[in-house]
Amino acid sequence: DADVTQTPRNRITKTGKRIMLECSQTKGHDRMYWYRQDPGLGLRLIYYSFDVKDINKGEISDGYSVSRQAQAKFSLSLESAIPNQTALYFCATSAETSGRIEFGPGTRLTVT
Amino acid sequence: EDQVTQSPEALRLQEGESSSLNCSYTVSGLRGLFWYRQDPGKGPEFLFTLYSAGEEKEKERLKATLTKKESFLHITAPKPEDSATYLCAVHKGAQKLVFGQGTRLTINP
């Protein structure tokens, strides 16, 4: 089984709809992240969480919210989706000491 | 402002033709530099971490090196299965990574 799983893997939604992307991990890591990847712009950090009660904004948090339901679960919500949120979204985890971030398989989101 | 720049954006090589990818950075308080490999439609896969100038890491046909201003990923005698996008990222504390835009590498048989 994969260490980091994301659901759904692909999603097409309409402008204005609320959508939630889910992430779960079995690595036992405390730290979880949401990144967005766009062609030509690289990976950009949306939100990160160092434990269940800790939530921090990344560089592009506007239009997004997150929830850390448990150590192993971190979800990303788009309250009212817009077309420029069409992108590949990655959940990631890391152990406190390593600095190394490990990524999930990604969710391809299309907003029409 | 922290910046990570990778070059070239794309590189096409023949099988067996060695080359290098560059990652230059301007970051205060560098705590590590990471290299990842990403295949189309998949998440980035960790390759190496480098922590200090002069450090080198190797894995199969790949070798990563680090100076105070840049890192190189050397690919020796590449094979078609080495085709992927290679990403570098700098770690500047709080375990946040700043990524470059990647180099898309294609190895032709």
Side-chain angles (χ1 to χ4, degrees), chain A residues 9 31 33 35 37 40 43 45 48 50 90 94-96 98-101 103-105, chain B residues 34 36 38 41-46 49 51 87 91 94-101:
Chain A
R9 295 294 314 281
R31 303 184 174 204
Y33 309 78
Y35 281 87
Q37 188 174 40
L43 281 156
L45 183 62
Y48 61 102
F50 285 173
F90 290 102
S94 69
E96 182 176 351
S98 74
R100 165 179 164 177
I101 290 179
F103 288 85
Chain B
F34 294 78
Y36 287 85
Q38 186 175 23
K42 296 188 176 182
E45 175 188 342
F46 172 80
T49 310
Y51 291 105
L87 305 171
H91 174 208
Q95 290 198 292
K96 292 183 288 182
L97 300 186
V98 178
F99 281 85
Q101 294 179 2

Side-chain angles (χ1 to χ4, degrees), chain B residues 4-25:
Chain B
V4 179
T5 303
Q6 292 187 246
S7 61
E9 289 185 12
L11 180 62
R12 190 178 294 270
L13 301 172
Q14 291 298 121
E15 184 173 1
E17 181 184 1
S18 301
S19 188
S20 297
L21 313 182
N22 178 263
C23 172
S24 63
Y25 60 90

Side-chain angles (χ1 to χ4, degrees), chain A residues 29-41:
Chain A
H29 290 167
D30 286 326
R31 303 184 174 204
M32 298 188 73
Y33 309 78
W34 276 103
Y35 281 87
R36 167 180 173 159
Q37 188 174 40
D38 299 273
L41 293 178

Side-chain angles (χ1 to χ4, degrees), chain A residues 98-100, chain B residues 3-6 21-27 29-36 46-53 55 57 64-73 87-93 96-100:
Chain A
S98 74
R100 165 179 164 177
Chain B
Q3 269 197 317
V4 179
T5 303
Q6 292 187 246
L21 313 182
N22 178 263
C23 172
S24 63
Y25 60 90
T26 53
V27 171
L30 178 73
R31 296 181 61 178
L33 186 140
F34 294 78
W35 281 98
Y36 287 85
F46 172 80
L47 292 173
F48 304 109
T49 310
L50 302 166
Y51 291 105
S52 57
E55 189 175 358
K57 294 273 181 74
T65 62
L66 181 65
T67 72
K68 289 187 177 180
K69 294 184 178 180
E70 59 191 348
S71 176
F72 292 93
L73 184 65
L87 305 171
C88 78
V90 295
H91 174 208
K92 57 187 296 281
K96 292 183 288 182
L97 300 186
V98 178
F99 281 85

Side-chain angles (χ1 to χ4, degrees), chain A residues 10-12 14 21-22 27 39 51 68 71-73 79-80 86-87 90-91 94-95 99 101 105 109 112:
Chain A
N10 287 281
R11 179 73 183 266
I12 300 174
K14 293 184 182 297
L21 309 183
E22 297 184 334
K27 300 184 74 69
D51 63 43
R68 185 82 184 265
Q71 186 212 31
K73 295 185 182 297
E79 297 300 326
S80 179
T86 293
F90 290 102
C91 175
S94 69
I101 290 179
L109 176 66
T112 62

